[in-house]
Amino acid sequence: MSEVIVITSGKGGVGKTTTTANLGCGLALSGKKTVLIDADIGLRNLDVVMGLENRIVYDLVDVIEGSCRLRQALIRDKRFDGLYLLPAAQTRDKDAVTPEQMKKLCKSLRSENFDYILIDCPAGIERGFKNAIAGADKAIVVTTPEVSAVRDADRIIGLLEASGLPTPQLIINRVKIDMIKRGDMLAVEDVSEILAADVLGVVPDDEFVIVASNRGEPAVFSGSGRTAAAYSNIVRRLEGEEVPFMNLEKGYGMFKRLSWSFRKSRPKALRGGF
Amino acid sequence: MSGNSRKKAGFETGRVARERLRNLLISDRLDFGANVMEMLRLDVANAVSNYMEIEERAVEIQINQTITGGENYPVLSASIPIRRVKKLA
């Protein structure tokens, strides 16, 4: 049985595509046959985050319009067994596809025996969003601990529920534990309580995510570090395992010491500059 | 600045964010346009003016999140300036 999961957020730039890439790789690493669908037609990105941009021949719109067979458009990721990407079209727009066609596409993918079908949803609440959720069984909402992102997440949760999907689980991205400790960032529990939704995972704010995307290698692939561990935990929870939440403060001591040693050497230079 | 005085001065911006979100989401979820709120405001003013003389134009209503008995509820509150309390006939 395939499970179709749409990864959405409402607001742009909170990390949907990065999340989709990392969960996909994580699922493939744990032996699940997984396909990632980039539903952001006209602004495709999942291919570059995955480092597969040079291998695109056909795309989602080609499949839907019948210009190629489904299997021809699926790009197999050679680094991970059982991981595939269905890229978005870059030169078309959201109106090239209807929700009904997306449902049909998901149905065809289900018959290809994928364990997981992850859909990377575009930002916004218009056609692209409606397309992306049309064939999904459930949704994951990605948000950051910021007022604007949480507000949009709330709107998206309302729309998902109105369209008959179960209450989504949350991934809270770019959490800065030192700011929470200082009281200058919404805590994970605050976000969960305000949105009345359960937390599937918490991902720390980490420069390594950018380093990984520069290379076109999802962070979970590197296998070490807190971010990779955070994504692995989310993957395990998706598969029904009960995984306790990572203590984000672990390593905080080291981080603090490090930043302190930076501070010791930098203030003089900064004072003049700012 | 010590942690305590930061708290007192409202410098903990995480808490500010939480309160702003709570209030923001109430109006988002209600999905009331300005129109509906104005109709409600006029109806409230009308109803109250049966009992007392009020400054109808100065009536304000708002919906906020309030914690009552440990639970979060949206609360409709009205600010109604009273000119004179009428004697009921």
Side-chain angles (χ1 to χ4, degrees):
Chain A
M1 257 299 270
S2 319
E3 187 162 35
V4 184
I5 306 174
V6 59
I7 290 138
T8 181
S9 70
K11 189 175 177 298
V14 297
K16 283 179 296 295
T17 303
T18 309
T19 304
T20 308
N22 278 291
L23 297 190
C25 294
L27 286 164
L29 283 170
S30 71
K32 300 293 171 189
K33 191 178 170 192
T34 303
V35 60
L36 310 180
I37 305 178
D38 189 346
D40 202 346
I41 297 161
L43 291 168
R44 76 172 169 220
N45 276 141
L46 186 55
D47 55 331
V48 282
V49 173
M50 295 289 295
L52 297 171
E53 68 271 24
N54 294 326
R55 297 193 40 216
I56 299 177
V57 182
Y58 296 109
D59 57 51
L60 184 148
V61 176
D62 292 323
V63 175
I64 280 175
E65 291 181 343
S67 321
C68 71
R69 279 175 292 112
L70 176 57
R71 286 198 191 175
Q72 286 178 296
L74 293 179
I75 300 167
R76 192 174 69 85
D77 192 321
K78 291 168 184 162
R79 298 162 298 181
F80 310 94
D81 255 354
L83 184 62
Y84 296 80
L85 169 71
L86 179 57
Q90 178 70 343
T91 54
R92 305 292 293 270
D93 63 49
K94 269 83 180 165
D95 295 329
V97 178
T98 66
E100 280 309 312
Q101 289 172 322
M102 282 298 287
K103 268 189 204 163
K104 225 178 109 192
L105 176 69
C106 290
K107 214 177 145 197
S108 332
L109 283 165
R110 283 178 205 266
S111 61
E112 294 286 328
N113 290 323
F114 284 104
D115 296 304
Y116 289 94
I117 299 165
L118 303 187
I119 304 172
D120 183 19
C121 180
I125 54 174
E126 297 84 15
R127 181 68 165 269
F129 168 75
K130 286 173 187 146
N131 283 342
I133 68 167
D137 302 319
K138 67 176 192 179
I140 293 173
V141 170
V142 182
T143 186
T144 59
E146 286 166 89
V147 177
S148 53
V150 175
R151 180 198 203 175
D152 288 2
D154 188 71
R155 181 104 167 85
I156 284 295
I157 292 170
L159 291 170
L160 289 167
E161 287 174 341
S163 70
L165 286 166
T167 303
Q169 290 182 297
L170 307 172
I171 290 180
I172 306 184
N173 201 14
R174 304 215 189 103
V175 170
K176 294 176 189 257
I177 191 66
D178 51 333
M179 286 191 78
I180 292 179
K181 283 201 116 180
R182 237 193 287 147
D184 277 335
M185 183 170 266
L186 286 166
V188 171
E189 311 81 68
D190 290 341
V191 178
S192 171
E193 189 208 304
I194 288 169
L195 294 176
D198 290 334
V199 177
L200 178 66
V202 178
V203 181
D205 186 53
D206 187 352
E207 286 184 1
F208 184 70
V209 171
I210 295 173
V211 173
S213 84
N214 288 344
R215 289 196 201 122
E217 276 176 7
V220 72
F221 182 47
S222 77
S224 62
R226 285 192 303 169
T227 302
Y231 284 122
S232 306
N233 284 351
I234 295 172
V235 166
R236 287 166 61 196
R237 289 187 200 112
L238 268 181
E239 297 199 62
E241 212 180 308
E242 288 235 353
V243 186
F245 281 92
M246 186 167 76
N247 183 3
L248 281 176
E249 293 191 35
K250 230 179 188 176
Y252 176 75
M254 195 181 81
F255 176 70
K256 197 174 163 192
R257 241 177 287 135
L258 254 171
S259 62
W260 180 77
S261 68
F262 284 150
R263 215 176 303 140
K264 226 164 112 185
S265 56
R266 284 180 62 193
K268 269 178 206 155
L270 286 176
R271 216 173 285 142
F274 287 82
Chain B
M1 197 182 286
S2 78
N4 243 347
S5 56
R6 262 172 64 88
K7 258 177 218 168
K8 270 186 207 140
F11 270 97
E12 284 196 330
T13 57
R15 196 191 312 195
V16 176
R18 195 173 58 206
E19 292 319 309
R20 285 180 65 212
L21 260 171
R22 283 207 174 117
N23 290 325
L24 185 61
L25 293 191
I26 291 165
S27 46
D28 279 6
R29 285 173 188 168
L30 276 172
D31 200 20
F32 276 5
N35 229 350
V36 179
M37 283 302 271
E38 179 59 14
M39 277 160 58
L40 179 58
R41 192 185 76 85
L42 291 176
D43 281 350
V44 168
N46 247 330
V48 177
S49 62
N50 288 330
Y51 299 88
M52 52 194 88
E53 256 184 70
I54 60 170
E55 201 69 58
E56 289 198 28
R57 270 178 303 177
V59 170
E60 283 176 19
I61 57 166
Q62 54 180 356
I63 299 172
N64 275 320
Q65 190 95 354
T66 303
I67 295 170
T68 314
E71 293 269 351
N72 277 322
Y73 291 109
V75 170
L76 171 70
S77 55
S79 152
I80 307 170
I82 302 170
R83 255 196 246 132
R84 196 155 53 95
V85 181
K86 279 186 201 167
K87 256 205 184 123
L88 288 171

